[in-house]
């Protein structure tokens, strides 16, 4: 059987190899011509193609499988999903310290905290868990006092007892509290930013007109075991938030 031939890749040693390989293979899959075969080469052939270990290649393929771009069948091989969605969010790799820095520097008011039922839209992150501890905070510009964003954090019940509300009141980002106070070994944070219209609560807290544009941020924090320990929903005033990404290209000599 004819197999799919992925593009070549020049690896950048500053980034995890599995991440680079998964993104390169993802681009090859989504950019393939309609007549291209659906079967991928074996893990060993792909690892040789990209110049990485089989373990690294396996991790990259697992990422694409989780996204729904490929399916893996024992003894049959790995295949591209012909109906896989092409309009997926762009995934960019950064550090936990980048998240902490982005959330720091504003005056914080703790609006409240306590046990709460898991919202239906977050049920996928907390399987078989009925209640979390929710924290609500309002952030202000330190110079003008103007409200800039308000945040909701839904914390896994196994982690919540180690979160001290006093740390949040002094302005610490939840990510910093989880890592430096609660002792959570954070493995990754998945961020999604999208445009929305201000609902009544957001309009009231941010002092903007109802249905005015806001930026809605969802941050899902995973521990070293892959368990979701925090889902953050942050509502930013549309005129006080920008999202900038720098992509470093590796230039040839």
């Amino acid at each position: 059987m004819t197999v799919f031939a992925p593009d070549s890749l020049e690896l950048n040693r500053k980034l995890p190899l599995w991440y680079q390989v998964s993104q390169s293979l993802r681009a090859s899959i989504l950019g393939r011509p309609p007549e291209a075969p659906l079967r991928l080469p074996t893990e060993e052939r792909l690892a040789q193609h990209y110049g990485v270990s089989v373990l690294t290649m396996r991790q990259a393929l697992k990422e694409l499988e989780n996204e729904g771009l490929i399916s893996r069948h024992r003894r049959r091989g790995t295949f591209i999903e012909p109906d896989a969605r092409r309009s997926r969010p762009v995934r960019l790799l950064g550090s936990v310290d980048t998240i902490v820095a982005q959330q720091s520097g504003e005056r914080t008011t703790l609006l409240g905290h306590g046990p709460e039922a898991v919202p239906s839209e977050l049920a996928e992150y907390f399987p078989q868990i009925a209640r979390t501890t929710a924290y609500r905070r309002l952030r202000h510009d330190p110079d003008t006092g103007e409200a800039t964003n308000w945040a909701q954090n839904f914390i896994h019940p196994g982690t919540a007892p180690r979160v001290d509300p006093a740390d949040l009141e002094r302005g610490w980002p939840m990510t910093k509290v989880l890592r430096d106070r609660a002792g959570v070994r954070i493995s990754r944070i998945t961020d999604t930013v999208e445009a929305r219209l201000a609902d009544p609560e957001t309009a009231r807290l941010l002092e903007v007109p109802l249905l005015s544009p806001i930026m809605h941020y969802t941050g899902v924090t995973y521990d070293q075991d892959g368990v979701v320990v925090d889902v953050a929903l942050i509502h930013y005033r549309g005129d006080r938030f920008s999202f900038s990404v720098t992509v470093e290209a590796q230039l040839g000599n």
Side-chain angles (χ1 to χ4, degrees):
M1 177 185 290
T2 304
V3 296
F4 177 73
D7 298 334
S8 59
L9 170 65
E10 184 176 357
L11 293 170
N12 183 336
R13 296 296 167 179
K14 294 181 180 180
L15 293 174
L17 299 181
W18 69 265
Y19 173 78
Q20 297 178 71
V21 170
S22 69
Q23 295 304 297
S24 176
L25 188 52
R26 180 183 187 277
S28 296
I29 290 172
L30 294 181
R32 73 190 188 282
E35 67 276 8
L38 296 178
R39 185 174 187 176
L40 289 179
T42 64
E43 289 179 352
E44 291 77 12
R45 293 288 298 275
L46 285 170
Q48 184 180 26
H49 173 78
Y50 285 114
V52 298
S53 69
V54 172
L55 185 62
T56 296
M57 193 66 239
R58 192 169 296 156
Q59 189 173 3
L61 291 172
K62 181 64 176 176
E63 180 76 7
L64 298 180
E65 184 179 23
N66 291 341
E67 188 177 330
L69 282 179
I70 64 173
S71 59
R72 312 184 73 187
H73 306 275
R74 192 173 181 180
R75 297 190 182 91
R76 290 181 52 215
T78 301
F79 296 83
I80 298 169
E81 288 292 330
D83 299 325
R85 289 172 50 193
R86 292 173 177 260
S87 58
R88 303 288 294 190
V90 175
R91 295 193 59 202
L92 301 170
L93 200 63
S95 68
V96 171
D97 286 309
T98 300
I99 301 296
V100 171
Q102 184 257 330
Q103 296 174 350
S104 299
E106 295 182 306
R107 182 162 55 85
T108 302
T109 300
L110 186 62
L111 301 175
H113 64 92
E116 196 169 304
V118 175
S120 59
E121 65 271 22
L122 303 184
E124 63 177 297
Y125 301 116
F126 299 105
Q128 300 179 334
I129 293 175
R131 299 178 71 80
T132 66
T133 299
Y135 296 83
R136 288 175 167 76
R137 292 164 294 144
L138 180 64
R139 295 192 181 104
H140 309 263
D141 185 290
D143 298 320
T144 66
E146 182 180 50
T148 59
N149 66 83
W150 79 279
Q152 302 166 281
N153 289 85
F154 297 89
I155 307 298
H156 190 284
T159 303
R162 306 199 300 273
V163 174
D164 186 349
D167 289 329
L168 299 173
E169 288 181 318
R170 64 171 58 101
W172 282 25
M174 181 62 82
T175 304
K176 181 176 177 64
V177 173
L178 292 172
R179 184 189 64 180
D180 298 344
R181 291 292 204 189
V184 175
R185 297 182 62 187
I186 297 174
S187 64
R188 72 183 191 276
I189 301 174
T190 301
D191 293 343
T192 303
V193 180
E194 58 185 320
R196 290 191 180 180
L197 300 178
D199 57 31
E201 185 173 21
T202 297
R204 177 180 62 84
L205 290 172
L206 299 185
E207 300 178 347
V208 297
L210 182 65
L211 301 181
S212 60
I214 64 165
M215 294 302 296
H216 185 272
Y217 164 98
T218 303
V220 184
T221 301
Y222 299 80
D223 69 9
Q224 74 275 14
D225 297 319
V227 175
V228 173
V229 294
D230 172 36
V231 177
L233 307 178
I234 308 179
H235 314 75
Y236 290 90
R237 281 184 52 153
D239 58 347
R240 297 301 305 271
F241 179 78
S242 62
F243 184 76
S244 177
V245 175
T246 299
V247 177
E248 181 178 304
Q250 186 163 340
L251 303 177
N253 295 329

